[in-house]
Amino acid sequence: MKLGIMQPYFFPYIGYFHLIDRVDQWIVFDVVNYKRKSWMNRNRILHPEEGWQYVSYPVDKASLSTKIKDIHGREHDNARAKIVAQLDFFKKKAPYADIAIDVVNDSFSRCTNHSLVEVCVAGLTVVCERLGIDFDYKVMSELDLGIPPISHAGQWALEISKSLNATEYVNPIGGQQIFDEDEFRRSNIVLTYSDPAVITYDASPFIFEPNLSILDMMCWLSPQEIRGQLNLLVE
């Protein structure tokens, strides 16, 4: 069983979904501290004039020691309406903007308690449905895995993998430095990394920006085209 573990991100870039597509089981890792100004509650789409702009989900103020699982959003309906308005600007130029807008509306409509985890997971679920990606996930805070004391950040993935009887753990290559590969080897768990290539697409008359939110890509490419790009990504 291939396992992937990531903090919940808000409509993340295509590389996040590439990782989901590579694994059999996904863990929404919500038991560590929330980081302000991170990808957890915001991402980026093209700006009408130049560069990019944020799409975001405002959250309540919280201390630096607040866990991700305890972060709640505010102005849920206003946040949805603002993102829809940002995407709506591109409808005259972007051939699939209506699909991106539908993804936002569908994701927000599935939320009941408006926690950050719920909103992020709803977004991941809806995008995966549209792209035909199997998304078999569990939320870490809802599991009782009996994880032993953690001495360094990379041990989280090791101990969760052991508890779930994973045979392989896949992580984005950007986090490679936190892992002790010998620890995984001794536990008979294969440690591999996902290093997807950058996908480019025509966003004319706007200037393409790399690694924007999946919402931006969904404005310009059909779900079938994005699915095809996922299959071509270099690992």
Side-chain angles (χ1 to χ4, degrees):
M1 187 264 281
K2 291 184 180 181
L3 182 67
I5 305 169
M6 285 286 286
Q7 296 167 358
Y9 285 1
F10 186 67
F11 293 113
Y13 88 122
I14 188 65
Y16 197 102
F17 295 95
H18 175 246
L19 184 56
I20 292 175
D21 195 38
R22 284 192 59 189
V23 302
D24 305 306
Q25 179 76 69
W26 187 262
I27 299 298
V28 179
F29 192 57
D30 65 341
V31 295
V32 292
N33 293 346
Y34 169 74
K35 294 181 180 179
R36 299 173 184 171
K37 298 182 179 180
S38 70
W39 299 124
M40 295 179 202
N41 74 310
R42 66 180 184 177
N43 220 289
R44 304 176 301 154
I45 63 172
L46 283 176
H47 190 281
E49 296 178 0
E50 184 179 6
W52 51 263
Q53 61 181 320
Y54 283 118
V55 289
S56 62
Y57 186 64
V59 297
D60 292 336
K61 291 183 179 180
S63 69
L64 295 176
S65 61
T66 304
K67 306 302 181 188
I68 301 169
K69 65 182 180 66
D70 297 320
I71 296 293
H72 281 78
R74 54 185 174 85
E75 301 178 356
H76 184 83
D77 291 336
N78 288 341
R80 179 201 59 78
K82 182 178 179 180
I83 297 170
V84 167
Q86 288 174 284
L87 293 170
D88 189 70
F89 177 88
F90 296 98
K91 283 178 65 173
K92 292 182 179 180
K93 302 294 183 181
Y96 304 104
D98 281 337
I99 293 178
I101 290 172
D102 178 67
V103 164
V104 172
N105 284 328
D106 191 1
S107 300
F108 274 69
S109 70
R110 298 189 187 195
C111 300
T112 57
N113 64 30
H114 302 172
S115 71
L116 179 59
V117 172
E118 181 191 51
V119 171
C120 289
V121 170
L124 296 175
T125 301
V126 172
V127 171
C128 286
E129 289 174 357
R130 300 298 193 275
L131 299 183
I133 297 172
D134 290 332
F135 184 40
D136 182 6
Y137 74 89
K138 299 181 186 297
V139 178
M140 182 66 182
S141 62
E142 298 174 357
L143 300 175
D144 183 17
L145 298 183
I147 299 296
I150 299 298
S151 60
H152 65 86
Q155 270 191 334
W156 277 109
L158 175 65
E159 296 300 335
I160 295 170
S161 297
K162 289 163 62 176
S163 294
L164 296 175
N165 297 315
T167 55
E168 181 176 348
Y169 173 68
V170 188
N171 197 80
I173 198 166
Q176 188 173 3
Q177 70 281 356
I178 73 169
F179 297 107
D180 182 340
E181 296 188 4
D182 286 337
E183 288 184 333
F184 282 81
R185 192 176 299 111
R186 289 193 297 269
S187 298
N188 294 315
I189 297 171
V190 177
L191 175 61
T192 55
Y193 299 100
S194 173
D195 186 18
V198 174
I199 294 178
T200 60
Y201 46 92
D202 184 7
S204 301
F206 306 96
I207 298 175
F208 169 79
E209 291 275 343
N211 295 330
L212 298 183
S213 166
I214 191 67
L215 293 177
D216 191 88
M217 182 175 286
M218 295 187 88
C219 286
W220 304 97
L221 298 178
S222 70
Q224 294 76 18
E225 289 172 320
I226 297 173
R227 177 75 245 186
Q229 291 288 348
L230 276 172
N231 294 336
L232 293 173
L233 283 176
V234 177
E235 298 179 0

